[in-house]
Amino acid sequence: MVDADQTFVIVGGGLAGAKAAETLRTEGFTGRVILICDERDHPYERPPLSKGYLLGKEERESVFAHEPAWYARHDIELHLGQTVDAVDRAAKTVRFGDDGTLVRYDKLLLVTGAEPRRLEVPGTSLAGVHHLRRLSHAERLKGVLAALGRDNGHLVIAGAGWIGLEVAAAAREYGAEVTVIEPEPTPLHGVLGPELGNLFEELHREHGVRFHFGVRLTEIVGQDGVVLAARTDDGEEHPAHDVLAAIGAAPRTALAEAAGLEIADRSLGGGIAVDEHLRTSDPDIYAAGDVASFPLPLFGTRLRVEHWANALNGGPAAARAMLGRDTVYDRLPYFFSDQYDLGMEYSGWAPPGSYDQVVIRGDAGKREFIAFWVSEGRVLAGMNVNVWDVTEPIQRLVRSRAVVDTEALADPHVPLAELVP
Ligand SMILES: Cc1cc2nc3c(=O)[nH]c(=O)nc-3n(C[C@H](O)[C@H](O)[C@H](O)COP(=O)(O)OP(=O)(O)OC[C@H]3O[C@@H](n4cnc5c(N)ncnc54)[C@H](O)[C@@H]3O)c2cc1C
């Protein structure tokens, strides 16, 4: 069959979906490309929602993956504000919209992303309880932070992960009082471990954020629909005018599950299980971005990666695989964050328990350094903090799996490139 007779359907209009559509066209696909998304906004990038856009430093227009006219120009059939509620693998159709429109696909890409986990405590239906995933959430939160800053109000954030901390930084910049509640002993515990988590705690404390570690939020106390306080399981009550639930995200696998596609084990983060070509257990269906769980032989596991770069590169890789190009997706996890005047990038994968040493190169006190998570002399991951243009050698070090001299690794006078065999 020639391209022109084929229909490729993309479900999900986040970055992975937008980039997959773009790649299909740049790779010369001339068939129908249909992109369906339940959000009304054109596909956009989410990182600014907790940083520049939230702070009012970036315009709304700057977050979009493409300008609106781009889709028609590239003959992408866009269905916004429409939910896909069924995939029939035998008939090769997807059903979407209120009227149950059916469209037939030759290849299907599921890039349905993730959704914020909900707090399961009394009080979550109060008007001052927020989540942050969508542009509309960020628009609302921006107004909330500005008002809290103006009125000396209190924001309680449940969760000291990336989004919780970035919003804490933004809220402090607006002048709001901020309290963060986190069951683990440090911020970012599951990603960075305690050693580097402490650094983020200090950074935020210096900027006036209050932390309560080792406790859980048990109730959001309100009156007449208004938030008054957040209660924790140690019996404390923390004053609050607004509460942000930033307790992680869950992959949106319902559609794939109902279609009988293989789902990765929950202990590995769940998600739609794909092979190294981003193909699901159905050879005509692919998945990428936050919702996909792909094998990473370097670490001997499969991973679900909830980061911008994985959507940016995974969408195009899936598109190439759908076109039958020889594509192996084995990118190292990479992410970045900005909080106050600290900027960082992290490459690799080193959850607590996987490393035996953290090696610091540079001045951690001045927050200008690279941290390496090392196991038996091999670098599993590296994080550069306010040090730039080192991602490539860090990734090469991780990929090499070479045993390195940790004294040389810690010495800023030894070029990183020299440590890569
Ligand atoms: C506030 C915030 C800040 C972030 N900051 C950073 C950062 O600094 N650095 C970093 O590396 N990463 C960051 N991330 C993570 C990054 O944005 C995500 O990894 C990325 O958005 C994933 O893209 P995606 O296309 O896989 O999924 P998504 O962006 O979630 O897109 C999926 C889309 O599919 C839609 N959809 C789902 N199911 C259906 C259905 N059945 N029918 C129709 N449509 C459907 C969803 O509504 C959504 O629009 C941040 C995320 C958030 C929320």
Side-chain angles (χ1 to χ4, degrees):
M1 199 192 290
V2 292
D3 270 6
D5 299 325
Q6 295 209 357
T7 300
F8 285 9
V9 175
I10 301 171
V11 181
L15 187 60
K19 286 288 163 186
E22 178 185 327
T23 305
L24 288 175
R25 289 301 182 223
T26 52
E27 291 282 329
F29 180 66
T30 56
R32 283 180 82 188
V33 177
I34 302 175
L35 193 158
I36 310 164
C37 187
D38 60 7
E39 292 194 64
R40 289 189 187 283
D41 288 302
H42 283 80
Y44 56 88
E45 308 209 13
R46 297 183 199 271
L49 308 190
S50 51
K51 309 178 189 61
Y53 178 71
L54 189 62
L55 282 162
K57 294 178 181 165
E58 283 173 42
E59 295 299 321
R60 193 177 192 280
E61 290 67 43
S62 69
V63 307
F64 293 100
H66 302 289
E67 51 160 337
W70 180 90
Y71 296 90
R73 238 185 7 254
H74 291 83
D75 207 9
I76 311 290
E77 298 172 42
L78 205 51
H79 297 271
L80 296 177
Q82 313 255 356
T83 303
V84 173
D85 62 10
V87 174
D88 182 335
R89 288 167 51 202
K92 294 183 82 170
T93 57
V94 300
R95 190 178 68 198
F96 68 97
D98 292 340
D99 56 355
T101 303
L102 285 180
V103 62
R104 201 180 171 285
Y105 64 82
D106 292 289
K107 301 273 184 221
L108 174 64
L109 175 60
L110 298 177
V111 273
T112 47
E115 62 195 337
R117 290 186 199 281
R118 308 269 152 183
L119 282 168
E120 284 174 16
V121 300
T124 49
S125 58
L126 293 165
V129 179
H130 311 275
H131 294 91
L132 180 55
R133 180 80 195 177
R134 298 187 161 194
L135 194 47
S136 56
H137 298 156
E139 269 162 9
R140 180 165 169 226
L141 193 58
K142 202 168 152 177
V144 166
L145 297 188
L148 289 176
R150 225 173 22 239
D151 306 338
N152 209 18
H154 288 253
L155 175 70
V156 166
I157 300 177
W162 295 112
I163 291 180
L165 293 186
E166 288 177 2
V167 174
R172 289 301 297 145
E173 290 196 29
Y174 276 102
E177 298 294 328
V178 179
T179 302
V180 178
I181 292 164
E182 167 60 55
E184 297 286 354
T186 61
L188 302 163
H189 196 264
V191 200
L192 302 185
E195 302 84 352
L196 271 297
N198 281 333
L199 175 113
F200 283 88
E201 177 183 348
E202 274 166 35
L203 170 75
H204 282 270
R205 283 200 196 276
E206 277 171 25
H207 285 86
V209 173
R210 298 180 192 89
F211 284 102
H212 296 275
F213 293 111
V215 290
R216 280 174 192 282
L217 201 149
T218 51
E219 186 180 351
I220 300 166
V221 185
Q223 201 178 3
D224 302 328
V226 174
V227 172
L228 295 178
R231 201 169 277 154
T232 41
D233 59 2
D234 56 354
E236 293 279 312
E237 229 174 64
H238 311 274
H241 298 100
D242 288 273
V243 173
L244 175 76
I247 56 170
R252 292 186 68 177
T253 52
L255 198 59
E257 277 178 60
L261 296 175
E262 190 185 327
I263 303 295
D265 199 87
R266 272 176 74 109
S267 65
L268 300 173
I272 305 174
V274 293
D275 65 12
E276 66 273 32
H277 313 293
L278 300 176
R279 195 167 45 194
T280 69
S281 51
D282 180 322
D284 291 321
I285 306 182
Y286 294 73
D290 279 13
V291 79
S293 166
F294 61 94
L296 202 52
L298 187 68
F299 296 115
T301 185
R302 51 172 57 251
L303 284 181
R304 195 173 64 75
V305 176
E306 279 177 19
H307 297 307
W308 170 87
N310 181 50
L312 182 78
N313 299 305
R320 283 191 287 274
M322 290 162 83
L323 291 167
R325 312 267 196 275
D326 193 13
T327 307
V328 171
Y329 189 72
D330 62 354
R331 291 242 170 197
L332 277 189
Y334 162 90
F335 62 86
F336 59 90
S337 180
D338 297 311
Q339 296 164 37
Y340 313 104
D341 55 358
L342 180 149
M344 56 71 62
E345 297 170 288
Y346 176 107
S347 292
W349 186 66
S354 67
Y355 59 91
D356 49 45
Q357 197 182 353
V358 179
V359 174
I360 303 289
R361 156 187 284 245
D363 192 337
K366 276 171 63 189
R367 298 193 189 112
E368 262 179 44
F369 66 98
I370 309 176
F372 296 96
W373 286 260
V374 178
S375 170
E376 295 176 354
R378 293 187 172 84
V379 176
L380 302 178
M383 173 173 78
N384 46 304
V385 174
N386 290 343
V387 172
W388 304 108
D389 300 324
V390 288
T391 298
E392 206 225 312
I394 290 174
Q395 294 204 349
R396 279 179 36 221
L397 257 179
V398 174
R399 281 196 179 283
S400 74
R401 297 198 52 80
V403 174
V404 294
D405 172 353
T406 48
E407 274 182 30
L409 190 62
D411 183 351
H413 302 294
V414 180
L416 278 182
E418 269 181 28
L419 298 168
V420 186

